Amino acid sequence: MQIDQMVCIGCGECIAYCPVKAVKQESGVAEIDFDLCVECGTCKRYAPCPVDAIHESPETDQWPRVLRREFSDPGIAHSTTKGYGRGTEESKTNDVTGRVKPGRVALAMEFGRPGISTRLGELEKMTTALAGAGVHFEEKNPVTFLLADPATGKMREDVKNERVLSAILEIEFNTDQLPRMLSVVEGVEQSLDTVFSLGLYTRLNDDGSIPVLSMLEGLGVPVRPNAKVNMGLGKPLVLD
Ligand code: SF4
Ligand code: SF4
């Protein structure tokens, strides 16, 4: 995004609308920090600019900068998965997608949030560590498409400098690998230059119990089960 310096009257109305503080006003007119901007479009859509000075820059839709927009503007679909927002249904729709099978566990890791953001290169610290541990990267996730080699977890060099509001990495593995995977995640998490959150997904046992509960308690991990079920997205699976 950019502000037309010849049109802006420096009223400052747009500054508070930017979730990453990329709009600056230091010399009368406002301008957008090109590196900080995640192309979320909030300023253009909602700031009441009296002179219509906020516009997309020529690079907004160019590769690799277009990734900023795909990950940060909820109105733009990802070119890879066709999904909106972070571009993945996430495992929380598992009741209708059946993505995570019995005996398997999925982790969804979010890097960045509004107000903080992340460079896509930050995710490589985690993807390389997890690839070494032998995880499966979820195919229907836009982050997986950015991996140059899923076997090593290395990301494409040309995308690593792009900054996005947040991105979700999803992996899957057999239940008995959970302690090792959590150890890998914990080892990397401290080195991240952004905020990080982790969600764990699993199918319930036939009796309704949670298969990994005792394992997590044994590892000293506090458990707060979330029974959010996205009904209405499809027919719930009974057997799979
Ligand atoms: S497009 Fe989003 S990140 Fe960029 S300046 Fe506007 S509000 Fe800020
Ligand atoms: S709202 Fe428009 S005129 Fe006011 S500072 Fe922002 S770009 Fe300039």
Side-chain angles (χ1 to χ4, degrees), residues 1 17-20 22-23 32 37-43:
M1 209 62 70
Y17 286 81
C18 180
V20 293
V23 186
I32 292 174
C37 173
V38 295
E39 301 287 358
C40 68
T42 305
C43 55

Side-chain angles (χ1 to χ4, degrees), residues 47-232:
C49 179
V51 291
D52 191 24
I54 306 170
H55 303 287
E56 291 174 6
S57 71
E59 291 93 338
T60 297
D61 280 330
Q62 299 298 310
W63 180 269
R65 192 169 178 90
V66 69
L67 290 170
R68 299 185 182 225
R69 188 175 211 193
E70 293 184 5
F71 277 90
S72 310
D73 185 337
I76 301 292
H78 283 257
S79 56
T80 50
T81 63
K82 311 304 177 199
Y84 290 83
R86 271 71 62 87
T88 171
E89 291 187 4
E90 294 182 65
S91 313
K92 62 187 165 192
T93 57
N94 204 54
D95 297 273
V96 292
T97 64
R99 187 188 273 187
V100 183
K101 309 289 185 206
R104 304 275 288 171
V105 171
L107 297 182
M109 290 162 259
E110 183 172 30
F111 298 69
R113 288 297 289 171
I116 298 172
S117 74
T118 184
R119 286 201 193 279
L120 288 171
E122 282 302 298
L123 279 74
E124 190 186 58
K125 296 174 183 172
M126 193 66 81
T127 54
T128 50
L130 290 168
V135 300
H136 169 78
F137 294 102
E138 168 56 46
E139 281 114 7
K140 295 176 185 171
N141 180 309
V143 172
T144 304
F145 284 91
L146 303 180
L147 298 179
D149 180 7
T152 62
K154 294 291 285 181
M155 296 186 82
R156 291 177 53 143
E157 286 300 323
D158 57 349
V159 307
K160 291 201 288 193
N161 198 42
E162 295 308 319
R163 185 185 290 278
V164 300
L165 219 46
S166 73
I168 292 178
L169 170 68
E170 291 172 284
I171 60 168
E172 202 190 312
F173 45 84
N174 288 333
T175 302
D176 60 1
Q177 293 177 285
L178 180 58
R180 182 170 179 223
M181 296 307 168
L182 288 180
S183 170
V184 171
V185 170
E186 197 173 15
V188 175
E189 183 253 332
Q190 294 297 325
S191 69
L192 296 176
D193 187 23
T194 187
V195 292
F196 175 79
S197 62
L198 174 72
L200 182 152
Y201 302 87
T202 181
R203 291 280 291 270
L204 297 181
N205 294 322
D206 289 342
D207 64 3
S209 60
I210 302 173
V212 295
L213 210 49
S214 58
M215 195 183 287
L216 290 170
E217 286 167 354
L219 292 168
V221 177
V223 179
R224 299 180 188 85
N226 182 341
K228 181 177 180 184
V229 176
N230 289 342
M231 302 296 280

